[in-house]
Structure formats: C-alpha cells, structure tokens
Amino acid sequence: QVQLVESGGGLVQAGGSLRLSCAASGRTITMHATGWLRQAPGKEREFVAALSWTGDTTYYADSVKGRFTISRDNAKNTVYLQMNSLKREDTAVYYCVAEPLGSGTSGATYRYWGQGTQVTVSS
C-alpha cells in the first residue's frame, strides 16, 4: 500500500508560481508511475502531468505545457509539481496519483490517490 499526502496548495495571483508536493509513505515510489490530476467545479477530472515508472519520461496536458514541470525525488520519496505563469483557469483541486509499473501516459489509470489540495488563482 502507498499513502500519498499533498501539500503546497493555496491562493496565488495570476502570473505567479506555486509548487505542490506529494509525500509518499508505505512503499517506495521507485517502481510507480506518478502524476497529477485536477478537477475544477462543474468540469470532469483531467490529466495534468505524469512520470513513467522508470522516472525518465514525462507527459503533460496541452493546457499546461511550458508552464508546469513534474519531478520526483526518490531519496525523499516525494513528487513535485512546479506551476509557473498560473492562470485563473488553473483553479482546481489537484490530486497526486501513483500506479505500480504505470506508463504515465494521459490515458493511464492509477491505483493510489492523495486526498487532493486546493489551488486557487486570483486575478
């Protein structure tokens, strides 16, 4: 079992930056694809970014390419999402997710989910 706990969410002004962290426990995340999904009010949950289980391939939604960066620190067993040039439409609940031996592609499914953290971008 893997437990995921997000942190770093909050309120930020449009154009600003925010870094989300996801601390994993129970098992190492080394053999897991890890990623971030988000859901805004009235909209379906959507893929944001992910790393393959090998940790050497990244995937991003078109809406965040060039602005968001996913990374992983295996020594700390932590996943990060660096968000720059934030827009009001980035406002959503962000979920950290993991899947054993997962591909990390946008259509992938995930076994483990964090509780979610709210990101609100003001203008």
Side-chain angles (χ1 to χ4, degrees), residues 49-76:
L51 279 163
S52 65
W53 73 269
T54 58
D56 58 3
T57 306
T58 59
Y59 302 90
Y60 295 96
D62 289 340
S63 60
V64 306
K65 285 181 180 177
R67 299 189 298 119
F68 290 11
T69 303
I70 186 170
S71 62
R72 190 168 76 197
D73 187 334
N74 289 331
K76 295 182 178 180

Side-chain angles (χ1 to χ4, degrees), residues 3-6 22 94-98 112-117:
Q3 292 77 47
L4 305 172
V5 180
E6 302 98 331
C22 173
Y94 284 71
Y95 298 90
C96 177
V97 295
Y112 304 109
W113 292 66
Q115 82 286 351
T117 186

